[in-house]
Amino acid sequence: MFGVVFPNRSFPLDISTFTQIDTFHWVLDMNHFVGEAYDQIKDMCIFLLNNLTLPADKALAVYVQSPGSAFVYCGAVTVARPSAVLSLLWPEPGSQGQFLTADTAPLSAKIGVSVQDLATLPSLDIAADKKIEQTALKVGENLFNFMQSFCGVDGSKLIVPMDILDRWFKKFQERAKRDPDYLKGFTL
């Protein structure tokens, strides 16, 4: 049904590498794959092996779980988007408050894969959404700092020249043309 590759870390792995929990859920125990260095695995490419294994209204969702934490959604693939490189946003370990006792097995990090209704998923790539949000915040901060250098204060209000947005955008565009790395500074 699916395969995965950890860029620069693995050959393609098929579904048999995962433990099948039930008909629609699989788990990869990261202790068997990388040991305790699971958080060094930042990306995963997941791909469908053919377009006959997943209905059009379903998605293959990817989740990560640090030791002792809940699963966190990372993204998904569908028949319309049969492969993706997803950023693995590992939660803080132990955030669920689970503790080991003499009777329990050591906790390990896991990657979960699940067949789900496409309509129930928030996004196909959570990390990309977060990068866009971070970029927008940094651009907004840049604009705010520019505006502050030209404004006056009237009580709790900032007074800025009417053409401030045009001036800022022109400066922003000129700097981006001069310095190709300028815009990269706004991304993570």
Side-chain angles (χ1 to χ4, degrees):
M1 176 182 230
F2 69 89
V4 300
V5 171
F6 297 98
N8 301 316
R9 295 216 177 232
S10 77
F11 292 102
L13 306 171
D14 66 9
I15 196 170
S16 67
T17 309
F18 287 70
T19 302
Q20 187 165 3
I21 305 302
D22 60 33
T23 308
F24 300 114
H25 297 90
W26 299 264
V27 172
L28 177 64
D29 186 333
M30 295 303 283
N31 273 355
H32 298 301
F33 183 63
V34 292
E36 293 181 11
Y38 69 90
D39 57 344
Q40 299 302 307
I41 305 293
K42 305 287 187 196
D43 300 300
M44 179 179 96
C45 175
I46 184 166
F47 52 91
L48 297 176
L49 294 175
N50 62 53
N51 64 353
L52 306 174
T53 57
L54 195 64
D57 64 337
K58 300 289 184 188
L60 204 56
V62 175
Y63 295 83
V64 292
Q65 178 187 45
S66 295
S69 74
F71 276 98
V72 174
Y73 175 70
C74 294
V77 291
T78 65
V79 173
R81 182 181 182 237
S83 65
V85 176
L86 302 175
S87 293
L88 302 179
L89 306 171
W90 296 98
E92 286 296 316
S95 57
Q96 285 293 99
Q98 298 173 353
F99 298 99
L100 292 177
T101 65
D103 300 339
T104 60
L107 297 174
S108 63
K110 294 177 177 61
I111 294 178
V113 177
S114 169
V115 175
Q116 293 183 237
D117 290 329
L118 180 57
T120 64
L121 297 175
S123 170
L124 293 181
D125 192 346
I126 295 294
D129 292 348
K130 288 185 182 201
K131 286 179 184 175
I132 291 168
E133 183 180 312
Q134 250 337 81
T135 301
L137 286 172
K138 288 182 179 181
V139 169
E141 183 180 328
N142 181 278
L143 171 60
F144 179 77
N145 290 338
F146 182 80
M147 287 173 51
Q148 272 189 322
S149 66
F150 291 94
C151 73
V153 177
D154 181 17
S156 63
K157 297 177 186 175
L158 294 177
I159 311 272
V160 295
M162 287 185 61
D163 67 341
I164 195 74
L165 284 176
D166 291 332
R167 289 165 45 188
W168 168 78
F169 192 61
K170 184 177 179 182
K171 181 181 174 189
F172 191 85
Q173 286 178 312
E174 287 172 358
R175 178 115 187 245
K177 284 179 187 174
R178 279 193 321 266
D179 180 4
D181 292 331
Y182 178 64
L183 293 178
K184 292 177 185 173
F186 288 93
T187 60
L188 294 176

